[in-house]
Short mmCIF file of all heavy atoms in Angstrom, two decimals:
data_model
loop_
_atom_site.label_atom_id
_atom_site.label_comp_id
_atom_site.label_asym_id
_atom_site.label_seq_id
_atom_site.Cartn_x
_atom_site.Cartn_y
_atom_site.Cartn_z
N ARG A 192 -18.18 -24.39 10.59
CA ARG A 192 -19.50 -24.75 11.09
C ARG A 192 -20.30 -23.57 11.63
O ARG A 192 -21.44 -23.74 12.04
CB ARG A 192 -19.37 -25.83 12.18
CG ARG A 192 -18.80 -27.13 11.65
CD ARG A 192 -18.69 -28.16 12.75
NE ARG A 192 -18.13 -29.43 12.26
CZ ARG A 192 -17.91 -30.49 13.02
NH1 ARG A 192 -18.19 -30.44 14.32
NH2 ARG A 192 -17.41 -31.59 12.50
N VAL A 224 5.29 -1.44 -0.97
CA VAL A 224 4.73 -0.42 -0.06
C VAL A 224 3.23 -0.60 0.13
O VAL A 224 2.74 -0.59 1.27
CB VAL A 224 5.07 1.00 -0.57
CG1 VAL A 224 4.37 2.04 0.30
CG2 VAL A 224 6.57 1.21 -0.55
N VAL A 231 -0.54 -3.46 7.67
CA VAL A 231 -0.68 -2.62 8.86
C VAL A 231 -2.15 -2.26 9.11
O VAL A 231 -2.63 -2.28 10.25
CB VAL A 231 0.16 -1.33 8.71
CG1 VAL A 231 -0.14 -0.36 9.85
CG2 VAL A 231 1.64 -1.67 8.68
N ALA A 280 -52.59 -17.56 15.91
CA ALA A 280 -53.87 -18.11 15.48
C ALA A 280 -54.95 -17.88 16.53
O ALA A 280 -56.09 -17.55 16.21
CB ALA A 280 -53.71 -19.60 15.19
N ASP A 285 -59.20 -18.05 15.00
CA ASP A 285 -59.43 -19.11 14.02
C ASP A 285 -58.08 -19.65 13.57
O ASP A 285 -57.27 -18.92 13.01
CB ASP A 285 -60.20 -18.59 12.82
CG ASP A 285 -60.56 -19.70 11.82
OD1 ASP A 285 -60.10 -20.84 12.03
OD2 ASP A 285 -61.30 -19.41 10.87
N ASN A 291 -49.62 -18.08 4.91
CA ASN A 291 -48.20 -18.34 4.67
C ASN A 291 -47.32 -17.14 4.99
O ASN A 291 -46.19 -17.30 5.46
CB ASN A 291 -48.00 -18.77 3.21
CG ASN A 291 -48.59 -20.12 2.91
OD1 ASN A 291 -48.73 -20.95 3.82
ND2 ASN A 291 -48.95 -20.37 1.66
N VAL A 317 -37.54 -13.79 33.27
CA VAL A 317 -38.39 -12.65 32.93
C VAL A 317 -39.59 -12.62 33.88
O VAL A 317 -40.15 -13.66 34.22
CB VAL A 317 -38.89 -12.75 31.46
CG1 VAL A 317 -39.91 -11.66 31.16
CG2 VAL A 317 -37.71 -12.65 30.50
N PRO A 324 -52.93 -14.86 33.23
CA PRO A 324 -51.76 -15.52 32.63
C PRO A 324 -52.11 -16.66 31.69
O PRO A 324 -51.30 -17.05 30.84
CB PRO A 324 -50.98 -16.02 33.85
CG PRO A 324 -51.99 -16.11 34.95
CD PRO A 324 -52.96 -15.00 34.69
N ARG A 331 -45.43 -17.92 26.33
CA ARG A 331 -44.41 -18.35 27.30
C ARG A 331 -43.71 -19.62 26.83
O ARG A 331 -42.51 -19.80 27.04
CB ARG A 331 -45.04 -18.56 28.68
CG ARG A 331 -45.46 -17.25 29.35
CD ARG A 331 -45.64 -17.44 30.85
NE ARG A 331 -46.64 -18.43 31.17
CZ ARG A 331 -47.95 -18.17 31.26
NH1 ARG A 331 -48.40 -16.96 31.02
NH2 ARG A 331 -48.80 -19.14 31.57
N GLU A 349 -48.00 -7.14 43.48
CA GLU A 349 -47.28 -8.42 43.49
C GLU A 349 -46.00 -8.32 42.66
O GLU A 349 -44.96 -8.87 43.04
CB GLU A 349 -48.17 -9.53 42.95
CG GLU A 349 -47.53 -10.91 43.04
CD GLU A 349 -48.42 -12.02 42.53
OE1 GLU A 349 -49.59 -11.73 42.18
OE2 GLU A 349 -47.96 -13.18 42.47
N ALA A 361 -35.83 -8.79 32.09
CA ALA A 361 -36.87 -8.00 31.42
C ALA A 361 -38.20 -8.20 32.15
O ALA A 361 -38.38 -9.15 32.92
CB ALA A 361 -37.02 -8.42 29.96
N ILE A 362 -39.11 -7.25 31.89
CA ILE A 362 -40.46 -7.33 32.44
C ILE A 362 -41.45 -7.20 31.28
O ILE A 362 -41.33 -6.30 30.45
CB ILE A 362 -40.72 -6.19 33.44
CG1 ILE A 362 -39.74 -6.27 34.61
CG2 ILE A 362 -42.16 -6.25 33.96
CD1 ILE A 362 -39.76 -5.04 35.50
N LYS A 404 -45.54 4.74 20.39
CA LYS A 404 -44.74 5.94 20.66
C LYS A 404 -44.86 6.35 22.13
O LYS A 404 -43.86 6.69 22.78
CB LYS A 404 -45.18 7.07 19.75
CG LYS A 404 -44.40 8.36 19.94
CD LYS A 404 -44.91 9.46 19.02
CE LYS A 404 -44.15 10.76 19.25
NZ LYS A 404 -44.67 11.86 18.38
#
Side-chain angles (χ1 to χ4, degrees):
R192 296 180 180 179
V224 174
V231 172
D285 185 354
N291 291 334
V317 173
R331 289 199 301 275
E349 185 179 355
I362 300 169
K404 181 181 178 181

